[in-house]
Amino acid sequence: MSTAMNFGSKSFKPRAPDKGSFPLDHFGECKAFKEQFMKCLRDNSFDNSMCRLQSKEYLECRMDHQLMTKEPLEKLGFKDLMDPPPSQANRDTKP
Amino acid sequence: MLLHFLVRQSLCCPQVLLTRCVRTLRCDAARTLDSQAEHFLRRRLPPPPRFHPQSRGIKSRNRKSQSQEEEWKTRNKTVLTYIAAAGVGMIGLSYAAVPLYRLYCQASGLGGMAVAGHDTDQVETMKPVKERVIKVTFNADRHASMQWNFKPQQTEINVVPGETALAFYRAKNPTDQPIIGISTYNVVPFEAGQYFNKIQCFCFEEQRLNPHEEVDMPVFFYIDPEFDEDPRMARVDTITLSYTFFEAKEGQKLPLPGYSYN
């Protein structure tokens, strides 16, 4: 597999994640957000572009519960979702 | 007495030899004569041990073979020096091969490594390539002795390069003991692996699950937008991400992959 020892064969080199490892969510604090995300995926035939908002919310939940280091969401690639602040305030009240 | 022997020799030798013998007799090269005589004698007859000119012949033979031996000695020495130098050179080359090979791999991009280290700040600035939809399928494996139940929560996700995506795996510890797992991942096709960047996941660090506990494990990743520009990736539409869990002993940590400059 990735240990083929012949020179010139493409082999896979695993790389460490950029920001390290997620701490485990032992208490299921963000399970609700995850369920929302999974539901969105199933509804949209597993298209990630349609469910970016839910993934952003899940990550925000993680940050709130100390399950992820706090970082500005632009750094996580959500710049396009940050644009209209007033409409975002409306979305924050979603359970 | 020598002459007598010579004459007898020449009687069995052809005419040319006889004249040669006579000519050399006429010259003042007594040594050459002796050595030549010895040469003939050795070829035709076994030399009698107590024969008088033989002692003179031995000296000349010794002198000639001595110079020959010396020549051989110096030649041997040169050859040995060359061989020793080649041996030392080979050993040095094998030590030098490690950084050289590394440089070569970086330059040529062989071995699936990114040609240059990818930029973590690019997450902020990258633009999604909306035309190219790639299906990422998920696979979950565990080592035979690992007792967790481990499976992905979605079979596939359609992403575009340049867009961050989230995916979930689920792990459950059905036993009555806490089990610590540690995982690694794999991406096929291998060449696409260099464009598959994980921002955060659950691999390479110990994850502890208490008895009968079930957790969701997210993977936050993106595909480098340069994926679209690579001609080798033109026909790649599906990428498979595969995680494998192993059981870890307490305090064990997998070394982070990559060379020390990573």
Side-chain angles (χ1 to χ4, degrees):
Chain A
M1 192 180 59
S2 62
T3 52
M5 291 291 181
N6 38 338
F7 178 74
S9 77
K10 302 274 193 242
S11 68
F12 177 71
K13 298 274 191 302
R15 275 178 292 148
D18 294 343
K19 302 204 190 314
S21 176
F22 276 124
L24 284 186
D25 183 7
H26 289 280
F27 303 110
E29 287 152 341
C30 295
K31 202 166 164 110
F33 291 93
K34 184 217 74 164
E35 289 298 338
Q36 267 185 352
F37 175 70
M38 295 308 295
K39 183 170 180 310
C40 167
L41 274 187
R42 278 188 286 263
D43 291 339
N44 290 303
S45 64
F46 296 105
D47 187 357
N48 178 61
S49 322
M50 315 288 281
C51 299
R52 300 203 59 234
L53 185 61
Q54 281 77 5
S55 59
K56 178 171 90 70
E57 287 178 351
Y58 177 79
L59 293 176
E60 278 173 342
C61 164
R62 275 211 159 225
M63 285 190 224
D64 292 337
H65 288 97
Q66 262 91 52
L67 291 170
M68 189 172 163
T69 46
K70 275 198 191 294
E71 263 190 74
L73 287 167
E74 291 91 6
K75 281 221 156 67
L76 299 172
F78 290 113
K79 198 160 76 154
D80 52 325
L81 293 177
M82 306 291 289
D83 278 345
S87 54
Q88 187 161 339
N90 286 341
R91 289 207 184 95
D92 272 345
T93 57
K94 243 203 301 191
Chain B
M1 225 201 254
L2 173 64
L3 188 55
H4 164 73
F5 249 70
L6 270 175
V7 166
R8 206 171 64 180
Q9 259 322 94
S10 56
L11 279 178
C12 359
C13 294
Q15 207 64 12
V16 174
L17 280 172
L18 172 64
T19 45
R20 217 161 115 202
C21 294
V22 171
R23 212 184 301 135
T24 51
L25 250 179
R26 291 222 181 105
C27 302
D28 219 12
R31 277 186 216 151
T32 337
L33 172 65
D34 280 340
S35 61
Q36 272 193 352
E38 274 312 303
H39 185 63
F40 290 138
L41 280 169
R42 218 182 297 144
R43 269 208 285 179
R44 306 281 175 173
L45 300 165
R50 51 178 178 78
F51 188 50
H52 168 56
Q54 183 151 0
S55 52
R56 288 209 282 169
I58 285 179
K59 269 198 207 140
S60 69
R61 181 182 47 181
N62 279 350
R63 224 170 283 127
K64 186 173 179 193
S65 55
Q66 214 173 39
S67 70
Q68 217 178 26
E69 259 179 42
E70 275 173 20
E71 193 191 305
W72 286 341
K73 257 192 212 160
T74 46
R75 205 173 57 183
N76 281 352
K77 240 185 249 175
T78 328
V79 170
L80 273 173
T81 318
Y82 276 124
I83 291 178
V88 169
M90 288 293 173
I91 293 177
L93 203 62
S94 60
Y95 275 108
V98 174
L100 284 177
Y101 185 63
R102 204 180 292 168
L103 280 173
Y104 169 67
C105 277
Q106 265 197 319
S108 69
L110 275 178
M113 290 196 75
V115 175
H118 72 277
D119 190 11
T120 48
D121 290 333
Q122 95 178 105
V123 183
E124 215 174 331
T125 52
M126 63 185 180
K127 293 236 166 309
V129 181
K130 295 244 183 255
E131 305 85 38
R132 187 88 187 269
V133 178
I134 298 169
K135 186 160 81 168
V136 180
T137 52
F138 298 93
N139 180 44
D141 274 325
R142 50 194 177 83
H143 185 65
S145 61
M146 172 57 147
Q147 286 159 311
W148 285 5
N149 296 333
F150 180 55
K151 62 185 199 332
Q153 291 192 39
Q154 66 283 308
T155 46
E156 60 186 34
I157 283 189
N158 297 321
V159 301
V160 296
E163 208 172 57
T164 51
L166 189 60
F168 286 93
Y169 282 80
R170 176 175 294 145
K172 181 176 162 70
N173 180 2
T175 65
D176 293 326
Q177 270 87 41
I179 294 182
I180 301 173
I182 194 162
S183 68
T184 182
Y185 77 101
N186 194 357
V187 176
V188 274
F190 295 148
E191 300 90 349
Q194 59 178 319
Y195 293 107
F196 189 89
N197 303 315
K198 291 189 281 70
I199 298 175
Q200 206 161 359
C201 70
F202 53 89
C203 42
F204 305 120
E205 272 187 31
E206 288 175 1
Q207 313 288 353
R208 183 194 167 96
L209 273 187
N210 292 322
H212 304 287
E213 191 179 356
E214 187 174 10
V215 288
D216 300 315
M217 293 170 151
V219 182
F220 193 45
F221 65 93
Y222 68 95
I223 297 178
D224 201 317
E226 283 181 11
F227 181 91
D228 195 34
E229 286 152 33
D230 190 340
R232 289 177 300 167
M233 302 286 130
R235 268 179 269 163
V236 173
D237 286 322
T238 308
I239 293 180
T240 303
L241 174 65
S242 173
Y243 274 92
T244 309
F245 254 102
F246 302 90
E247 192 168 338
K249 304 273 180 303
E250 189 86 35
Q252 192 185 55
K253 198 167 152 57
L254 272 183
L256 282 179
Y259 291 115
S260 49
Y261 59 71
N262 198 0

